[in-house]
Amino acid sequence: MAVPVALVGPTASGKSDVALAVARRLGDVEIVSVDSMQVYRGMDIGTAKPSAAERAEVPHHLLDVADPA
């Protein structure tokens, strides 16, 4: 049975790094981002959006889904 885990905290507190570390350790984990800026395409700088390599290693959802305009 899958158990959802919510990782919350203030901006720039390392949540993304912790999420990736947990996903790597547990395996068969997917990350759903609810970041207010990572949803926008083209806003990679300053949003701590995961790299292409990190996205290939662990599936991520709700990144780059909206046009900033």
Side-chain angles (χ1 to χ4, degrees), residues 2-67:
V3 177
V5 175
L7 185 59
V8 299
T11 299
S13 62
K15 296 178 300 290
S16 296
D17 291 338
V18 170
L20 281 168
V22 169
R24 287 177 180 130
R25 180 156 183 164
L26 295 178
D28 196 25
V29 171
E30 297 187 14
I31 295 174
V32 179
S33 174
V34 292
D35 185 278
S36 65
M37 299 306 287
Q38 290 182 1
V39 298
Y40 294 112
R41 286 185 290 275
M43 298 192 69
D44 298 344
I45 298 172
T47 61
K49 203 175 284 184
S51 68
E54 291 168 331
R55 292 189 212 183
E57 184 180 1
V58 177
H60 286 70
H61 302 279
L62 298 180
L63 299 175
D64 299 329
V65 297
D67 185 44

